[in-house]
Every structure is written in structure tokens, then in C-alpha cells.
Amino acid sequence: MKKNTLKIVFPAMVFVSIAAASLYAEDGGSKVSIGGHTKITLLDGSAGVSTIGYGKDDTASDFAGLKFLEFIPFFKVNISDRLSLDVRPDMIINGIDGTTGATPTFGKAIGAQRAKTTELQFSANGFNRALVHGVLPGSSELSIGLLNTKFTWDYGSELFWEDEMNGSQFSCNPMMSDITGMGIDFEKYMEIGDATLPLYVAVLASESMTEFNYNPTAIIGLSPQIGKVKFHVAVNAGLWGSDVNAISDVKKAKHGQGRATIGVAYNHGIFGFRAEGIIGMIKHRISNSNSDAIPHGAYAKIFLKPWKRVHLCLDGNYVYYNFINQYNPQPGSELYVTITPSVQILTTEHSRIILQADLCNWKQNPWDQVDNYDKKLMYVRPTLGWRLTF
């Protein structure tokens, strides 16, 4: 089945399932709940220096006002006490003329990357989540469908959503934290003395990094806790191959890939800390080269809650590639270093105003290309936005 066909058939199957479950609910057999996430910017801009030619740096700024960014409605059907259907379509504003969003890009003046024409579209997968979830005996759970796997805390458990308006290069990144795709996951809470040790296992038939071309991948993770300190370790391993177009062609994917992550978190009173690191390896992934792609990165966040409705956060993160262009790796290197202080004002339990400033020092060094001069992006991106969960 081709990629475009799946994009049509799978959503149709999901919504038919919702409709069927809703009809069943009318007979008292299940309960349907509706909610969602929404994200709106009140101010979003960038100002700084960008390399736009050999030996040529450009200083520019770019600011935008009120803008709807994302809406993720939740449809949850509790078919029984142990079985539920969880569907979350992901609607975002995308450029339709080949340009990108508000984040500056290498080789362009700041502001030149912003889309001239936009429209409301579904995200790449169409859904943030679309799965059937079951509670099994023995303190375990099973999910089948489109999964946002729990490879990391920041992206996999969606903790970044609570911290910042703009997800970092570490978090919202298919080379780093984001492992999303069609598959099955299993979570078991094992009792060891007085402690609980969560075990997480996932197997995907495809992964977003390689576009829906049936590249199998698996994840196993543990999240032990000692006192107030939490730990998280996970490994991911699988295959990739750009010529894989059908399930029967999986045998053609002869290149291995893998990632490992480790994290630590601590919370006590008004103070909190969380950090994670990732290193990966993708065999023969760099085009026009025999080299392997070896991305790595890390972040550390410090939290302070001086008042009930005021939360402060300082996020420092970096990402390094031994290539350029994460979606079509070419010879070269890229380094992203970002520091983000932010303040949140909780207007209600589920609504918050967020003010943050991304302080970015990014560098790109292409090799074997026409524009093989070094590029830099040094800029500040202030963002004032509103997030609501209902």
C-alpha cells in the first residue's frame, strides 16, 4: 500500500471507529470525551546576524503579531474500563510556497525564510496520536496505532509542551527525540520492593525520519526512581533504506540505525531540574559519502516556581551533526547551541501565558558543495504566546 493511500485510508478507519464507538456510547456502553491543545503567538520575532554569501553577513530583524500556530483536538472513547480509543488530529499553519516558518534558516537573511502564503493543514502524519489503548492484567498497558513513543521525556512524554512555546532543536527533531510512527507499544510497572520500575517497549513498522517507507525500528526503556531523583534510559535500533516502498521490500533495507538516551530529573519544593542526552548512528546515511551519520545532543533545564501562578525556566541545549541537512544529509557539519530563559503566568490551571527568548548561536560548515563557505546564525528570538489545554 502506497504512502498516499495510507494517509487516506488510515484516517478514514480512525474516524469510522470513533463514529462506531460513539454510537455504542449512546447505548451506555462507552463514554466519549473531547478536549484539546491550542497554541497562539501574540508576538514572535527574530533579530540578529546571518551569513548569506561568501564573506557576507546580513543583520536583519523579523517580527509578527497575533498568529494561530497549532490546534490538536482530543477524541477519547472509553469503550470499557480497560479499552479506549485515543485520536488526536494535528492541525498546524504551514507555508504552501516552499518557504518555512518563523525559525531562521542557514544561507538566508533573517525573515527571508518566513512563508509568504500559509494555510491550515494537517501535520506530516496527520495525527499527533491515533491509537487503541488497553489496560492489561499485571500492571501493564498496550497501545496499537500511530504512536508518539516515549523514547525521551522532553518530546516522547510531551514535557516540552509544558515548558516552552517553541520546542528546541533537541526536542522536536526526528534525528534526536522524535520517534513517531505506526506500531505497538507495551508498558509494565514492575514492583521491586517498595519501588516501582516502569518498563517500556515499542516496535514500529515505520518512522517519521524516513518518511512512511516501512523501516522497522524498536525501542526499550527503563525509568527507575531513587528517592526524589528519577532516571530514564532507552535504546532504539532498526533499519533504514530510501528504496523501501512496501512491506514486502523490508528486506532491501540493509543499513542499520540506532540511538541511545539517558536522562535525570529532580523536583523538590519550588525547585526542579531535568536533563537528557542522546547519541545516534545511522549507517551510510550521508549522501555522496561513505560516512555514517552520528548526531548527538543534550539539554538541561532548571525550574523555579516562586509563586503558585508564576513559573521560571532556563533551558540550555545543543545539537551536533557530522553532516548538514537532517532530512537529506550531505557532507559537512552543523552545531546548534541555544539558551532559552522563559517565564510562565498560569491564568488558570490549564491556561498559561509564556514569554521566552531563544538565544541562538548556530553554525553550518558544508563540504563538496557550490556554496561551501561557512555559515552562521546568531540571533535572538523573543516569543510571547498563549497555550490552552481543555
Side-chain angles (χ1 to χ4, degrees):
M1 189 178 293
K2 294 183 178 179
K3 173 182 172 181
N4 291 337
T5 305
L6 278 167
K7 280 194 169 183
I8 297 172
V9 173
F10 181 67
M13 292 172 61
V14 169
F15 283 110
V16 168
S17 299
I18 292 177
S22 299
L23 291 174
Y24 180 62
E26 294 179 358
D27 296 329
S30 64
K31 181 181 178 181
V32 179
S33 58
I34 298 175
H37 284 317
T38 188
K39 180 169 71 170
I40 296 172
T41 56
L42 308 175
L43 171 69
D44 186 18
S46 301
V49 179
S50 174
T51 301
I52 59 173
Y54 183 75
K56 184 178 181 181
D57 293 340
D58 181 84
T59 301
S61 61
D62 170 46
F63 290 91
L66 182 68
K67 186 176 181 181
F68 170 85
L69 292 182
E70 189 170 19
F71 177 50
I72 306 174
F74 303 163
F75 301 95
K76 186 172 183 180
V77 183
N78 293 313
I79 300 172
S80 70
D81 291 340
R82 291 181 172 271
L83 186 64
S84 62
L85 178 67
D86 188 355
V87 179
R88 304 184 183 186
D90 190 3
M91 292 177 282
I92 59 178
I93 293 293
N94 262 340
I96 60 175
D97 60 352
T99 55
T100 56
T103 304
T105 57
F106 288 113
K108 292 185 178 181
I110 291 174
Q113 85 293 335
R114 189 181 289 273
K116 304 301 186 294
T117 307
T118 62
E119 67 178 18
L120 184 63
Q121 300 175 340
F122 283 105
S123 64
N125 289 319
F127 293 88
N128 175 272
R129 183 180 303 174
L131 55 85
V132 176
H133 176 76
V135 178
L136 306 178
S139 301
S140 56
E141 301 176 15
L142 184 72
S143 297
I144 302 174
L146 178 63
L147 307 174
N148 178 10
T149 63
K150 297 180 180 179
F151 180 63
T152 62
W153 280 325
D154 215 49
Y155 188 86
S157 296
E158 299 181 341
L159 296 187
F160 84 94
W161 181 272
E162 305 297 327
D163 304 335
E164 301 158 318
M165 279 296 294
N166 308 318
S168 70
Q169 289 286 333
F170 177 92
S171 299
C172 302
N173 185 336
M175 283 282 186
M176 292 275 107
S177 299
D178 178 6
I179 302 181
T180 302
M182 293 291 298
I184 181 170
D185 72 7
F186 174 79
E187 193 163 9
K188 182 175 178 60
Y189 302 89
M190 299 181 292
E191 302 294 336
I192 302 177
D194 295 331
T196 300
L197 179 63
L199 167 68
Y200 179 80
V201 179
V203 178
L204 303 183
S206 66
E207 190 184 334
S208 58
M209 182 186 69
T210 45
E211 298 182 333
F212 226 120
N213 57 3
Y214 301 97
N215 295 317
T217 190
I219 299 168
I220 183 168
L222 291 170
S223 301
Q225 180 171 346
I226 301 174
K228 296 183 181 298
V229 182
K230 296 180 180 179
F231 299 92
H232 176 71
V233 292
V235 293
N236 159 238
L239 301 173
W240 81 274
S242 58
D243 59 342
V244 180
N245 296 308
I247 294 177
S248 61
D249 291 335
V250 167
K251 62 180 180 295
K252 294 182 181 179
K254 300 183 182 298
H255 304 302
Q257 63 170 317
R259 270 173 275 187
T261 182
I262 185 169
V264 60
Y266 172 83
N267 287 282
H268 181 68
I270 66 171
F271 175 79
F273 172 81
R274 187 172 75 249
E276 293 183 275
I278 291 175
I279 186 168
M281 189 278 292
I282 313 172
K283 293 287 291 183
H284 305 306
R285 185 67 178 95
I286 303 176
S287 300
N288 303 313
S289 170
N290 291 323
S291 300
D292 303 328
I294 305 178
H296 57 83
Y299 75 88
K301 294 183 180 181
I302 299 173
F303 305 96
L304 193 64
K305 301 178 182 179
W307 299 282
K308 181 179 180 180
R309 294 188 178 274
V310 178
H311 296 177
L312 307 177
C313 177
L314 180 63
D315 176 11
N317 66 82
Y318 88 92
V319 168
Y320 175 81
Y321 302 142
N322 65 330
F323 52 87
I324 65 171
N325 191 345
Q326 64 176 334
Y327 295 104
N328 182 26
Q330 301 291 327
S333 67
E334 290 181 356
L335 174 64
Y336 300 83
V337 178
T338 309
I339 299 175
T340 303
S342 64
V343 57
Q344 296 187 17
I345 299 175
L346 279 66
T347 55
T348 69
E349 182 182 358
H350 304 292
S351 171
R352 63 191 66 194
I353 301 293
I354 303 176
L355 173 63
Q356 73 179 64
D358 299 323
L359 312 177
C360 304
N361 185 1
W362 299 353
K363 299 177 181 179
Q364 184 189 75
N365 300 310
W367 304 340
D368 301 329
Q369 295 194 17
V370 174
D371 58 346
N372 63 347
Y373 52 87
D374 294 351
K375 302 179 179 67
K376 67 180 178 183
L377 271 172
M378 299 178 63
Y379 68 95
V380 179
R381 180 182 179 184
T383 304
L384 177 64
W386 175 53
R387 277 188 170 164
L388 171 68
T389 298
F390 61 92

